[in-house]
Amino acid sequence: MSVLKLKNSYTRQLEVFEPLQAGRVTMYSCGPTVYSFAHIGNFRSFLFADVLRRVLERNGYEVRHVMNITDVGHMTEDHLADASGEDKLAKAARELGSDPFKVAQHFERAFVEDAKALRLKIYRGGETDDPELHPRATGHIPEMLAMIQKLLERGYAYVVPTGEVYFSVAKFPEYGQLSGKNIEENEAGARVGVREEKKDPRDFALWKVDAKHLMQWDPHSDKGWDKADYGRYRELAPEGVDKTIKPGFPGWHIECSAMSRAHLGSTIDIHTGGEDNMFPHHECEIAQSYGAFGFTVPGPHGAPDEHHARKTFSRYWLHGRFLLVDNKKMAKREGNFYTARDLMDPVAAGRKDLAAKLEAAGFKGGRVDPLTLRYALISNQYTQQMNFGVDLLVQAKASVERIQRCYERLREIIGPGTDLDIAETASDKMIELVDKYEREFDDALNDNLNTPNALAAVFKAINEINAMTLGKAEAVEAMRLMDSFDEVLDVIDRRERSGILTKTEIEQRLALPLPEFDLLANAELDSAAVAGFVALRQAARKAKDFKRGDAIRDGLKHRGVMIEDVPQGVRWKLE
Ligand code: AMP
Ligand code: ZN
């Protein structure tokens, strides 16, 4: 297998990937700010990280992937060098007439549903509920304050009379190396909303004070704290922090430095984000982590890598280029803004116009299957800007159907109960085909995640497989190849397509916790999930709430699952 090469944004070079510890990779991805539904641009960045992680796994690495949830401190103007603005969560809470904690909880839940539908591996299996892999900023205030204190003690930060804390950029000459922004540009950016109390316009806030903000932590008492967090804070900073720091909330940049260190250690292998994260966000993360923790860090062979700022925090930086829609930046006022759920279920998202447009383009019920959306968003190399439009979805749909049809044919040839070891008797031609295209697929992905070339290998393989008359042994071998492609692509629908839930099975299911009706809109409807909703309907009927029972049946139908009462129980079928 070819060696994995990745373009390191820090050096702007294609580098052979080598983790710090043999066989293991630590990777941190900047996650969503949960003040609204994630849009397809956000998901392009998250899916690029997902593909990267899967490619690392194909290369034999055990990957620990952390992606945070930003639920405080990300300001509306944070894309500029520490300008001010309003906390995005506070703004959303004001507009929705809710409180920011509730807003965050609501949109985090929606994000997880979308992420599952789009098959982000970090929301699969045991990783789904592991809080260490999905750290929330509001749950890491102790780590942030302890880091801020370290920065103060080491002379990298200062407190101003308002009680806020700033990082002193002049102390870190490497500031700007990642983004390649020169000092003048930095200063121009920083001039927007410059605070008088800053020593240098480039300095950025580590801790903010705003009496009106509803999310507040007092660094000098337990006021505003979750009890367990406060206990941890006392342990991490037994002497407390500088007495002149006032109650407030963290800046966005310190969050990722602190959460990444808490869950992956001081030096990580890979850090990802979208191209807009490079400056100022990641530039600030590097400065903070360097300032607080390190001067020398061991290199891959144990040799110290002295005064090498980039290696202090993350050894490889990868940034995904932006997704444009109709060649323009996505913006609500341009009418070209799509959340993932707008496309997956436009009617439920209140976008009837979009549903009609998609229906006309061949999408049944106006809904874009999440696997089609996943495919569309990973079909271009992350180093290229990507243009999104209905055409792209139409092509993606055809491609996913081609992959799925090939898989279905193989499944039919193999039939149920076949011993999969019969592949040993497959023809040399098939064995060569599998080797060739698996190698082409890996070579393309190992070449800095060149997904278009990887997909070209997939379709060449499918064309050849489709043109062959296959016996069972051939089909088993071909299916192995398709399964292997799907470790990265993950667009094959492996669900059972129909079944009967007997009365006894429904009774047994009723004894377990039932799913929430709200989740039906986005749940991945495999047989287990269908059983849950059928039981929920049964519970409603038992309670003589027939309206609710019908609503559940209609909801299932809307998601393509038909149910029918039969003497044995309930027959279900995926359309
Ligand atoms: P946010 O929720 O604003 O914190 O953004 C989450 C992630 O989405 C970040 O890594 C951004 O870089 C990324 N992102 C935002 N807009 C786009 C876009 N149009 N295309 C690709 N990635 C984006
Ligand atoms: Zn971040």
Side-chain angles (χ1 to χ4, degrees), residues 28-31 68 70 252 256 271 277 281-282 285:
Y28 184 92
S29 300
C30 285
N68 72 291
T70 298
W252 174 36
C256 287
H271 197 311
N277 286 156
H281 187 48
H282 290 166
E285 286 184 32

Side-chain angles (χ1 to χ4, degrees), residues 128-202:
T128 314
D129 300 315
D130 185 342
E132 297 205 348
L133 302 181
H134 314 281
R136 290 188 192 103
T138 49
H140 290 76
I141 308 295
E143 287 75 10
M144 296 176 207
L145 280 170
M147 194 162 172
I148 290 171
Q149 183 59 22
K150 261 225 133 75
L151 286 166
L152 286 167
E153 284 164 11
R154 290 169 64 118
Y156 280 90
Y158 56 93
V159 189
V160 297
T162 55
E164 295 181 296
V165 189
Y166 285 97
F167 185 93
S168 185
V169 169
K171 295 268 165 54
F172 185 63
E174 269 115 338
Y175 190 83
Q177 278 211 2
L178 170 69
S179 58
K181 292 221 176 203
N182 60 36
I183 301 294
E184 290 75 47
E185 271 178 279
N186 282 354
E187 284 179 347
R191 254 194 296 279
V192 186
V194 171
R195 301 275 189 103
E196 274 172 25
E197 60 273 19
K198 285 207 249 183
K199 286 189 189 159
D200 180 327
R202 296 171 302 159

Side-chain angles (χ1 to χ4, degrees), residues 296-326:
T296 53
V297 169
H301 303 295
D305 201 350
E306 243 171 278
H307 278 269
H308 212 319
R310 90 183 152 101
K311 299 216 163 156
T312 303
F313 178 32
S314 176
R315 304 173 57 248
Y316 298 81
W317 287 89
L318 269 74
H319 292 96
R321 300 291 310 273
F322 255 35
L323 176 94
L324 306 177
V325 175
D326 301 328

Side-chain angles (χ1 to χ4, degrees), residues 501-523:
L501 287 157
T502 62
K503 287 188 173 140
T504 327
E505 281 166 345
I506 298 170
E507 281 303 321
Q508 284 166 348
R509 184 61 192 76
L510 272 172
L512 301 171
L514 294 176
E516 283 177 48
F517 180 51
D518 291 5
L519 296 178
L520 178 55
N522 281 289

Side-chain angles (χ1 to χ4, degrees), residues 30-33 39 41-42 45-46 74 88 273-274 276-277 321-323:
C30 285
T33 306
H39 60 63
N42 302 137
S45 286
F46 304 143
H74 192 171
K88 291 186 181 192
D276 61 327
N277 286 156
R321 300 291 310 273
F322 255 35
L323 176 94

